[in-house]
């Protein structure tokens, strides 16, 4: 079960300036710091996953991985930042309106437990899936999503226990797990996101809790977050983009819907909202005059607010770094954030609503040896534009020369986040200069920058990666050998870079990528299909040129770089057939490559041992071609 609360120092064209920088600043690791190994960062990583404020704003229920395993912990906003004791086994905690108990998930079922007790009681039991629960304003009924009906539908179950009742019919595709429902303040209706009217559209609907009668209330927007009711129940706010424009990820409008007047209007302000893979919601202030939202800039997240009537948006936090989730409550007068920094794992921070510095509430995450803040730089790309990058240097950096790696992030229209990126830290600790880049088309740099990739997928972006390789070779501490790796859209970019810019890279590792989007459109999951179709401006028969641009299979014959290609066999976001097609052509053209697949693994690997094996193979392959043999 999942509940939605779900990277500038300009170097410019002067690489010598980077080489002249002084010693790297590194975190002071505790004596108990873990060795920075692939085993530790894939199978032994600890930290907070989710945090929710109690209705009175005094306590925080935290789901975390800690010593002894995953559990829910109870902390106070007045805590000095210790490690609270484990409360109950479970995840995704939600407070009941009276603040006396919580709802949570355990083994795919819904459970409740009272504050002060560890005697948890199940609300649902069985093999069916329950996810994204929400609690009615009076605390008497739970709404949740389940695919037990064959599609994503909203179900109801009494908080005191009883048989679940299906409320909606065919609300959404069975393979779409992004959104949650939202109770109206009077508890009579639930707002939810549905594709019932059109498979390709995410519309907002309302369903009557008693009768089950449903009606569509939005027509022109493509929803990007769970709906949020205003305190007076007259408006609904959510993130979204217009259906007649590119499906922008992470730079969305805040829409206000009036269910009675049947209107939908974006709030006018000078910035955008960031949903970050549809996981970050918007929140109303208690008086309904302000709306709070997250905005991503240059790899850093911050909380912002804007008048509900529109106007100047102002920044609430100056916390930066990577954000996993945030939460508030009507009477909370504060916010909790699950966030990581460049050298700190995911922890819970608290901020009073009247402002000030963040206060750290937890210490779950491990410290690792050889972790240092990367240098934030920019480099000039192929057409004169400057691309942001995060430069990780080896711990032994002392004027020597090292092989280099270009990391290309996933998501395409997302960003590389300025958080604790342990894989890049690890590769740097193994003697590589690593440059993680925020190529064109990504979020956090304004709409015109994101527009650069519209109908040009993986073309200019791949050339940004090639320009990064050229830039790295100008640095006095790089020995001339450069590799590239990436997962998901990063896998797409890796393959595109070595087909579009032969000779720029000495080794490449594409993982879980799509190499022919027209083919992938036939058998991807719903999100993959929407992403492909809207990103190319339509269907393959109508947009042949756009699909030809992003098709790296047609250029495999141009590859001169040795590559290791890996994929999960149960992947439907980047369908496994993409791997099969690529391997077939690599063999046909006699290319130098290695390959590895992982049975039963979807797009996001579920077995840490498989992810460990993938990274171990990546490291061995890159070392084979980039490091001199002893």
């Amino acid at each position: 079960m999942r509940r939605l609360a779900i990277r500038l120092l300009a170097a410019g064209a002067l690489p010598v300036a980077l080489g002249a920088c002084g010693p790297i600043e590194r975190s002071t690791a505790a004596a108990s710091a873990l060795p920075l190994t692939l085993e530790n960062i894939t199978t032994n990583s600890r930290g907070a996953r989710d945090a929710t404020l109690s209705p009175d704003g005094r306590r925080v229920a935290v789901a975390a991985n800690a010593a002894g395993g995953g559990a829910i912990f109870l902390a106070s906003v007045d805590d000095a930042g210790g490690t609270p004791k484990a409360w109950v086994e479970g995840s995704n905690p939600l407070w009941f309106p009276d603040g006396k108990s919580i709802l949570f998930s355990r083994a795919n079922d819904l459970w409740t437990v009272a504050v002060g007790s560890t005697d948890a009681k199940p609300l649902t039991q069985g093999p069916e899936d329950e996810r994204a629960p929400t609690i009615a304003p009076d605390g008497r009924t739970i709404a949740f999503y389940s695919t037990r009906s064959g599609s994503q539908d909203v179900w109801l179950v009494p908080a005191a226990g009883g048989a679940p009742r299906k409320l909606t019919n065919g609300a959404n595709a069975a393979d779409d797990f992004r959104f949650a429902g939202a109770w109206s303040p009077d508890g009579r209706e639930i707002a939810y996101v549905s594709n019932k009217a059109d498979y390709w559209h995410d519309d907002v609907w309302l369903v009557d809790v008693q009768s089950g009668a449903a009606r569509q209330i939005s027509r022109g927007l493509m929803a990007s977050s769970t709906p949020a009711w205003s305190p007076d129940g007259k408006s609904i706010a959510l993130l979204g983009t217009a259906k007649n424009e590119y499906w922008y990820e992470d730079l969305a409008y805040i829409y206000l819907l009036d269910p009675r007047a049947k209107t939908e209007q974006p709030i006018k302000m000078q910035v955008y909202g960031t949903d970050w893979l549809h996981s970050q919601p918007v929140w109303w202030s208690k008086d309904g005059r302000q709306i709070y939202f997250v905005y991503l800039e240059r790899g850093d997240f911050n909380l912002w607010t804007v008048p509900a009537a529109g106007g100047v948006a102002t920044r609430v936090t100056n916390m930066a770094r990577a954000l996993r989730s945030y939460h508030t409550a009507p009477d909370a007068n504060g916010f909790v954030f699950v966030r990581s920094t460049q050298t700190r794992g995911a922890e819970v921070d608290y901020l009073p609503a009247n402002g000030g510095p963040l206060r750290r509430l937890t210490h779950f995450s491990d410290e690792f040896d050889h972790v240092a803040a990367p240098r934030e730089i920019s480099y000039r790309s192929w057409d004169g534009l400057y691309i942001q990058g995060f430069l990780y240097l080896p711990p032994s950096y002392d004027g020597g020369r090292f092989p280099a790696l270009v990391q290309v992030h996933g998501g395409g229209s997302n960003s590389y986040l300025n958080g604790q990126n342990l894989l890049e830290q690890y590769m740097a600790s193994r003697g590589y200069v690593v440059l993680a880049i925020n190529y064109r088309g990504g979020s956090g740099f304004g709409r015109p920058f994101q527009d650069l990739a519209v109908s040009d997928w993986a073309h200019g972006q791949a050339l940004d990666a090639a320009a990064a390789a050229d830039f790295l070779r100008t640095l006095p501490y790089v020995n001339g050998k450069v590799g590239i790796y990436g997962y998901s859209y990063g896998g797409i970019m890796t393959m595109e870079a070595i087909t579009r810019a032969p000779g720029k890279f000495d080794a490449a590792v594409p993982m879980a990528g799509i190499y022919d989007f027209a083919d992938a459109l036939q058998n991807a999951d719903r999100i993959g299909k929407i992403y492909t179709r809207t990103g190319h401006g339509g269907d393959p028969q109508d947009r042949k040129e756009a699909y030809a641009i992003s098709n790296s299979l047609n250029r495999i014959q141009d590859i001169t770089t040795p590559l290791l290609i890996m994929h999960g066999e149960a992947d439907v976001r980047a369908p496994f057939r993409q791997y099969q097609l690529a391997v077939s052509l690599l063999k046909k053209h006699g290319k130098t490559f290695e390959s590895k697949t992982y049975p039963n693994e979807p797009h996001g690997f579920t077995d840490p041992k498989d992810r460990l094996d993938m990274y171990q193979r990546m490291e061995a392959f890159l070392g084979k071609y980039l490091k001199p043999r002893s």
Side-chain angles (χ1 to χ4, degrees):
M1 182 186 73
R2 285 183 286 180
R3 184 181 67 83
L4 298 177
I6 15 214
R7 286 170 194 276
L8 177 62
L9 171 63
L14 302 174
V16 175
L18 279 173
C21 288
I24 304 169
E25 292 185 6
R26 302 192 175 277
S27 60
T28 303
S32 59
L34 292 177
L36 185 61
T37 65
L38 288 176
E39 290 85 353
N40 281 334
I41 67 178
T42 56
T43 64
N44 193 33
S45 183
R46 300 172 183 170
R49 300 193 310 272
D50 197 10
T52 55
L53 272 170
S54 61
D56 64 4
R58 305 312 307 162
R59 292 170 294 185
V60 188
V62 183
N65 290 326
I72 296 173
F73 300 76
L74 188 61
S76 167
V77 298
D78 297 319
D79 285 350
T83 301
K85 293 183 178 179
W87 181 6
V88 289
E89 178 189 352
S91 61
N92 304 318
L94 278 177
W95 288 91
F96 278 85
D98 61 7
K100 295 181 180 179
S101 56
I102 64 167
L103 174 74
F104 65 97
S105 66
R106 180 192 292 174
N108 238 22
D109 285 312
L110 302 180
W111 294 66
T112 63
V113 65
V115 174
S117 171
T118 58
D119 183 20
K121 302 183 183 302
L123 281 184
T124 62
Q125 290 180 294
E128 299 90 354
D129 63 310
E130 288 91 29
R131 68 164 199 89
T134 53
I135 304 173
D138 63 5
R140 298 173 61 182
T141 308
I142 311 300
F144 63 91
Y145 272 93
S146 176
T147 56
R148 63 184 70 191
S149 61
S151 59
Q152 287 285 347
D153 275 305
V154 179
W155 291 67
L156 302 177
V157 64
R165 170 172 70 94
K166 187 163 73 74
L167 183 61
T168 63
N169 293 298
N172 219 327
D175 59 0
D176 191 341
F177 304 96
R178 292 172 294 159
F179 304 114
W183 290 86
S184 62
D186 61 11
R188 296 179 179 179
E189 295 177 300
I190 294 176
Y192 63 100
V193 176
S194 175
N195 75 327
K196 189 173 183 178
D198 189 320
Y199 177 86
W200 298 102
H201 293 162
D202 293 319
D203 301 304
V204 181
W205 287 58
L206 292 183
V207 60
D208 184 272
V209 172
Q210 291 300 319
S211 69
R215 58 191 176 95
Q216 184 179 347
I217 64 168
S218 75
R219 305 282 175 178
L221 67 86
M222 186 78 168
S224 295
S225 72
T226 291
W229 289 85
S230 61
D232 62 9
K234 295 180 179 180
S235 300
I236 294 174
L238 77 161
L239 295 171
T241 51
K243 290 180 180 178
N244 61 0
E245 67 179 355
Y246 182 73
W247 194 39
Y248 294 100
E249 178 64 51
D250 293 341
L251 291 184
Y253 309 106
I254 300 177
Y255 276 91
L256 283 188
L257 309 182
D258 186 326
R260 313 308 166 195
K262 300 180 180 180
T263 59
E264 52 187 274
Q265 294 292 332
I267 293 177
K268 294 182 179 180
M269 60 179 181
Q270 82 278 16
V271 296
Y272 295 91
T274 298
D275 61 82
W276 191 249
L277 301 174
H278 313 286
S279 68
Q280 302 298 347
V282 297
W283 296 92
W284 291 81
S285 61
K286 183 178 180 180
D287 60 10
R289 298 175 60 185
Q290 296 285 129
I291 293 178
Y292 294 94
F293 63 98
V294 167
Y295 182 45
L296 171 67
E297 295 177 285
R298 303 191 66 81
D300 288 322
F301 284 101
N302 273 291
L303 181 66
W304 288 63
T305 185
V306 65
V312 177
T314 53
R315 196 162 75 177
V316 179
T317 64
N318 292 281
M319 59 186 180
R321 307 308 180 238
L323 187 70
R324 181 177 180 130
S325 68
Y326 77 109
H327 185 262
T328 188
D331 297 323
N333 200 33
F335 302 88
V336 286
F337 308 88
V338 176
R339 58 185 286 268
S340 65
T341 71
Q342 296 168 325
T343 58
R344 188 197 83 177
E347 300 290 356
V348 180
D349 295 313
Y350 174 78
L351 179 73
N354 63 351
L358 294 178
R359 183 163 70 249
R360 180 173 174 175
L361 300 184
T362 64
H363 282 80
F364 292 113
S365 58
D366 291 306
E367 293 188 20
F368 291 91
D369 290 329
H370 305 307
V371 169
R375 290 174 173 172
E376 189 177 356
I377 62 102
S378 293
Y379 67 93
R380 188 161 56 192
S381 193
W382 58 277
D383 59 354
L385 299 184
Y386 283 79
I387 302 299
Q388 182 196 38
F390 294 93
L391 191 66
Y392 299 81
L393 298 182
S396 59
Y397 169 65
D398 57 1
R401 291 168 65 84
F402 305 89
L405 297 171
V406 175
Q407 194 276 355
V408 278
H409 66 76
S413 56
N414 302 123
S415 286
Y416 184 87
L417 299 182
N418 193 14
Q420 190 183 43
N421 298 297
L422 290 178
L423 181 58
E424 283 67 69
Q425 296 277 6
Y426 172 78
M427 295 306 292
S429 77
R430 301 298 293 171
Y432 291 96
V433 174
V434 185
L435 180 59
I437 66 171
N438 269 325
Y439 48 81
R440 68 192 62 209
S443 53
F445 302 89
R447 185 56 56 83
F449 185 83
Q450 210 168 24
D451 280 336
L452 292 173
V454 176
S455 297
D456 191 50
W457 273 19
H459 173 215
Q461 297 170 321
L463 297 181
D464 286 339
D470 289 338
F471 169 75
L472 285 167
R473 288 190 173 96
T474 68
L475 301 180
Y477 39 83
V478 171
N479 67 6
K481 294 285 188 178
V482 181
I484 183 172
Y485 68 94
Y487 190 93
S488 190
Y489 200 92
I492 297 167
M493 283 279 290
T494 299
M495 188 71 83
E496 284 283 355
I498 62 175
T499 63
R500 289 192 176 277
K504 295 290 186 181
F505 295 97
D506 300 289
V509 183
M511 298 169 279
I514 294 175
Y515 313 116
D516 180 350
F517 280 97
D519 185 88
L521 186 59
Q522 302 175 43
N523 50 13
D525 63 358
R526 179 172 180 256
I527 304 306
K529 289 178 179 177
I530 293 174
Y531 189 69
T532 295
R533 189 171 181 264
T534 57
H536 288 81
D539 294 316
Q541 62 268 26
D542 301 319
R543 300 285 294 167
K544 293 181 180 179
E545 183 178 348
Y547 282 88
I549 290 173
S550 64
N551 188 336
S552 60
L553 295 186
N554 287 341
R555 292 181 293 276
I556 275 187
Q557 67 273 9
D558 299 327
I559 292 176
T560 61
T561 302
L563 69 149
L564 165 63
I565 182 171
M566 295 185 281
H567 217 108
E569 295 182 15
D571 197 335
V572 292
R573 179 62 51 82
F576 179 58
R577 175 175 156 83
Q578 294 293 299
Y579 164 89
Q580 295 172 311
L581 291 172
V583 167
S584 176
L585 287 172
L586 287 167
K587 290 180 179 178
K588 176 182 177 180
H589 291 289
K591 300 303 176 181
T592 301
F593 77 98
E594 298 177 16
S595 60
K596 172 63 178 176
T597 66
Y598 295 89
N600 305 315
E601 287 291 8
H603 195 60
F605 278 26
T606 57
D607 188 342
K609 293 181 181 178
D610 284 341
R611 186 166 291 276
L612 171 61
D613 181 82
M614 181 171 61
Y615 290 156
Q616 287 173 332
R617 290 175 184 272
M618 182 185 82
E619 181 188 3
F621 183 84
L622 292 173
K624 177 180 177 180
Y625 288 97
L626 301 181
K627 290 187 174 182
R629 298 179 181 178
S630 59

